[in-house]
Amino acid sequence: MGTNANIALLPVDGDLDVTAVATLRASIDQLIDGGCRRIVLNMAAVGFVDSAGMGLIFREIRKMRSAGGLLSLVNVTPPVMRALALARVVDFAPVSANVGEVDVPELDPGAQPLWRHVIRIDPADMGDARAKVETLLERLDFSDDERFDAKLAVGEALGNAVDHTDGTCVLTTVAGYPDRVVVEVSDCGCGMPAPGEDLPDGQDLPDGPWNERGRGIKLMRLLADSVTISPKNSGSGTVVRIVKLARREDDATAEPSL
């Protein structure tokens, strides 16, 4: 189980039936009671869910919602997806099938953002930075869950940047497009272990100072549609680029104000 403040990735190891419910309930309740507000259940190893398992899922969805958080299921196998759809779990929580990497269309080279804002991060007031990012995200037609995930992914990137630098040179650029938001978090730290090496989606981190942040980066990739990490074009430092797609038609033409 990987955790980082208010985010957790929890693997479900085997079928979710009456014999497994108590153990999983204890793990989820411990996270929620400890302040975790975003739990991702990795269902890749689950081939069967019975009524006790369904009841547990509904219970924990309600408990997390009442705490102001979000629980979702990822890497769901086709048989389990059919069962979740019949039980209408998919109507109450984000559920994604095990379909491999999401294909994120490249932006047209000539595409201009509807708006773009640069935020200088005060390491002593990370909450202010997250609030500004959330205000910008509200200008896009994301669902509440999509906005929640985008905010947490950006917050994780900000935490990483401040954690491995003194935090005084961290910048965040948020750009809104008709079909997505693109967020870049840059710092002037030690940079990548191998200058010029990019880390595309799904590639493991090399050994070095970034390795300890590996779980956080995996969580970002669960929360966003694309996360890439590369050295800055000039000087020392790293750029984390996060893309979150808008799944619905949106009207994001207004210039946001902070």
Side-chain angles (χ1 to χ4, degrees):
M1 175 175 62
T3 65
N4 186 64
N6 63 340
I7 312 173
L9 172 61
L10 186 60
V12 184
D13 299 322
D15 291 346
L16 186 51
D17 56 24
V18 67
T19 65
V21 162
T23 299
L24 184 59
R25 181 196 301 120
S27 296
I28 297 175
D29 286 350
Q30 182 180 11
L31 286 167
I32 298 175
D33 295 341
C36 183
R37 292 298 174 261
R38 180 66 169 93
I39 297 177
V40 180
L41 296 183
N42 186 346
M43 303 283 285
V46 180
F48 175 80
V49 179
D50 67 7
S51 60
M54 293 291 184
L56 170 66
I57 293 172
F58 278 116
R59 174 186 182 274
E60 299 302 334
I61 290 171
R62 288 193 297 268
K63 182 172 182 176
M64 180 60 98
R65 290 285 187 182
S66 67
L70 177 67
L71 182 145
S72 64
L73 290 71
V74 300
N75 294 326
V76 179
T77 60
V80 173
M81 180 64 81
R82 286 194 292 273
L84 294 176
L86 287 171
R88 299 192 62 183
V89 172
V90 296
D91 296 336
F92 298 97
V95 179
S96 60
N98 187 357
V99 294
E101 293 186 13
V102 176
D103 182 21
V104 179
E106 290 291 335
L107 282 169
D108 186 285
Q112 295 296 317
L114 301 170
W115 44 261
R116 175 186 279 123
H117 276 271
V118 178
I119 304 169
R120 183 173 292 278
I121 306 305
D122 178 358
D125 193 358
M126 296 285 287
D128 177 67
R130 290 191 293 267
K132 288 179 178 178
V133 170
E134 184 173 17
T135 297
L136 294 172
L137 291 173
E138 289 173 355
R139 307 303 302 184
L140 297 169
D141 192 27
F142 288 142
S143 68
D144 290 342
D145 293 343
E146 290 166 342
R147 192 177 301 111
F148 193 106
D149 282 357
K151 180 181 68 173
L152 287 180
V154 174
E156 177 68 26
L158 292 174
N160 285 355
V162 170
D163 189 40
H164 81 282
T165 71
D166 63 6
T168 58
C169 60
V170 178
L171 292 177
T172 301
T173 302
V174 186
Y177 293 84
D179 68 336
R180 72 190 69 191
V181 66
V182 178
V183 182
E184 293 187 348
V185 178
S186 65
D187 61 60
C188 54
C190 60
M192 299 301 295
E197 181 183 20
D198 179 57
L199 292 180
D201 287 338
Q203 183 173 321
D204 291 333
L205 291 168
D207 292 333
W210 275 88
N211 211 20
E212 65 187 36
R213 307 302 304 186
R215 287 187 297 181
I217 292 168
K218 289 179 180 178
L219 284 168
M220 280 192 283
R221 285 173 170 157
L222 282 172
L223 297 168
D225 292 295
S226 173
V227 177
T228 55
I229 305 166
S230 59
K232 291 168 68 173
N233 290 331
S234 61
S236 63
T238 302
V239 178
V240 177
R241 186 174 189 266
I242 297 170
V243 178
K244 184 71 173 178
L245 297 175
R247 296 314 200 271
R248 301 175 299 185
E249 300 254 343
D250 66 284
D251 181 13
T253 57
E255 173 71 14
S257 59
L258 295 178

